[in-house]
Amino acid sequence: MSLLENLQWRHAVKAYDPTKKVAKEDLNRILEAARLAPTSSGLQPFRIISVENQELKEKMVAGALNPEVMRDCSHVLVFAAWDSYSEEKIDKVYDYHTDVRELPRGRFGSYTDQLKKMYGAQTADQHFAHTARQTYIALGLAMAQAAELKIDSTPAEGFSNEVVDKILGLREMGLKSVSLLYLGYRDEERDWLSSMKKVRIPMEEFVISQ
């Protein structure tokens, strides 16, 4: 199937079959799609925490707006962004870039100096607003890859960031949760949305040509 056909197929599943689990190989393909997502200056300022452990999911349910979805899905992917930029983080990323490309460290020094100056003039809140936006590109690619594999997904912002961050120890890692992606297989009988038509506004309204 084409990408557009896969996107027509998928929807935000409202009920998962708890007996069906996503295979490790398929999960890795979804995570790889997210890892390959473009990010501002190539900094990849976020991480994905993949939660399969049922006991851990049960703890996270306390902070979920749709607890049954979290409880019954196969995996919960937590997209968590850096809480701030720092010179050390920027240098670490670019040292990795130059090492992989077999270039001398500091090869991009003039550019990283600009980044450090720009972010150095901003607040931590401004930093997080920027890093959080980067996660959504990866979230979209993860959903597209899941759809290609005919794995259901549900993106979610309806959860307590404080609860999830505390349970997963994200603040100690310099991370703050942004969104969740539930993965698994729909329960046809309980997923009330699966029998309904997919609805989007018409193309002529959606696209403004000038």
Side-chain angles (χ1 to χ4, degrees), residues 46 81 126-138 178:
F46 61 90
Q126 289 175 312
H127 289 181
F128 180 66
H130 186 258
T131 59
R133 288 196 297 271
Q134 306 303 303
T135 68
Y136 289 101
I137 305 171
V178 179

Side-chain angles (χ1 to χ4, degrees), residues 78-81 128 159-162 164-165 170 175-179:
V78 182
F79 288 74
F128 180 66
F159 67 98
S160 169
N161 301 81
E162 290 184 7
V164 169
D165 291 0
L170 298 185
L175 299 169
K176 296 167 68 176
S177 60
V178 179
S179 63

